[in-house]
Amino acid sequence: MAKQHDLGRIRNIGIAAHIDAGKTTLTERILFYTGALYKIGEVHDGAAHMDYMAEEQNHGITITSALTKARWGEHLIQIIDTPGHVDFTIEVERSMRVLDGCVIVLDAVRGVEPQTETVWRQRSKFSLPSLFFINKVDRLGADYDKSLRSIAKRLGALPVPVTIPLSEQHAVVHLIERQLIRFDGEHGEVLSAEPCPDATWAEMAEHHESLLMGIAESDEALADQILAGKEPEPETLWEALRAGCLSGQLCPCFGGSALRNLGVHPLLDGIVRLLPSPLDRPPTRGYLEDGSPTQVAMEDQGALAALVFKVQMWEGRRHVFARIYRGQLKPGDSVLHRSAAGAPVQEHVARMFDVDAAKKSRIDLAHAGDIVLLAGLRRAATGDTLYAPDQPPLLLERIDAREPVLSLAIEPASSADEEKFVEVLSKLQEEDPTLRFGEDPETGQRLISGMGELHLQIIVERLEREYSLSVRTGKPAVALRETILAEATRDLLFQPPIESSQKSAEMKARVKLRILPRPRGGGNLSVIEPRTLPEGHRLGEEQIAALRQGIEFALAGGPIEGAPLQDIETRIEEVEFFGASTSGEALSAATARALRKAIDAASPALLQPVMRTEVVVPDENLGTVLGDLQARHALIQDTAHETGQATIHCEIALAQLLGYTTVLRSMTQGRGQYSTLFERFDTA
């Protein structure tokens, strides 16, 4: 295990991309070339080292993020291979939260794709320095330059080319070292580097200028030298490029083909020379118990601070992945974290493991900067902060989970499995914060809700394979929301009759409130600044909490489908008190009833999940596919043509996309494909 003085030689990186761009194939090559694997496993054969789940092997995609380690020279690279499918975006989100840098993989034919944009936003949220690997340069229609332009146009980043692929020569030109690097041997493991021939270097002039001008934009000291036509030494260029990468100003780009064993070695050099060590990252922001911010520096000294970023059932037992930000951790140590209600929970770390995909090995000590697997924490959940019991409470920034957009009725095939069914789904919910398990209040049906059809399909497959639990499912149903389209004001006196048979206290409260629609995606806003009667009465914290509770209760289910309400501003304008009769319960009930009546009068409306969609089809099928999308009430935004293919950008309600994969394949003889990205909830 890396010790504290080795932190400068550690690289914690994620490999992320749109689905099918080649992330896992690239990771396999990295592991093979670094000696971590003796044999390359291919995704298309279901033999990839990092895709260890049966569902990943069967579907040929990455479903869960997997951690592995490799050594390159004197550096230790800790790698998380993340999923590319939008249904499993939480895996990318929580991985990015604990990493120091990332490699974003692009398909050289497609360039930046919808899920690439999602990954980029997730990366930007945590300000992770990034490299790009432009993959599949050997494919028909591949265009390295077009991919660079798509990075600048669609991501707003400044791409700087470092290696230029020459797929016909099975080589790359290294623009910093001025070398032509060839990749020979059965798996491209035999490298031969020579000074780039003059004729080839002349063809690289434009790319070389892009590299220098990019560096000049981020380094004023070199700008004058470069603009004067002087060539800095390679080591100077490396240092300037690294500084620009760490600051987020530059994104160094490497080209190659992972499947054809082309261009991966220079990327490995780029990872250790350009991406940050844990010591290069700014201190992590944390919060003390009173809410005041604090900085957590990456160091062994000091009290423990670690973040749980993933819960996983491993060999039937509950484990958690954690990144240590400060201090050290040993098996047997006691740690504290906060429950969902805010109460402190003390637990003991029973065992601690180093992880390589599906394999784990026990370790006795973990340092700041390490990512480890912990056993024995039965209640720690995704986003929880672990801290030492003898230290003040500390909270690191949590991990955001997105709301599910699709539901599926589900029940065990046998009533004898009812108890096991509930227990297993509770475990799966702990693993996956985007999965919900509940009951339809109207029909009483059990529902699982997730991020899409594939997400729910994988859950059902795991129930049957991992837990030997046969289930029956209904048809997928889109998760709805409700909102209002108009303003409304209601004034309500809550005074339920007192039943003579019961000795209940009188309750009485009056609330006047107004509601207004907010912009789509604006969320709910509550403003509790009322005029109080009798004059001079002041609201206490408990009374404000009761009013807020009433608002939350009323917004939990709308009048149309009982779906949660959103994008509503609630303003409590007046509250009247009636002595001891105005309890917290009375205030909450008065608020909830007044708000429900206001919602009924404010033109309530259903909201459906709207997806930003990209459909790629052969040119000859464009008319048919466009007609079908328009019949599904899609809002067509743009259509682009290139190399015999058409790309349609549109917005469409998720309900219209259920089963669309089969329809699209039928219309295009299996050659069409589409990808989606949740945009917002909106009226149909």
Side-chain angles (χ1 to χ4, degrees), residues 303-323:
L304 174 71
L307 183 74
V308 174
F309 67 94
K310 184 175 180 178
V311 177
Q312 184 166 332
M313 299 300 163
W314 202 304
E315 298 169 353
R317 293 178 180 165
R318 191 181 196 274
H319 294 70
V320 301
F321 280 96
R323 172 119 197 243

Side-chain angles (χ1 to χ4, degrees), residues 84-95:
H85 198 286
V86 67
D87 284 14
F88 309 106
T89 190
I90 183 62
E91 293 286 340
V92 184
E93 181 86 14
R94 56 189 176 186
S95 297

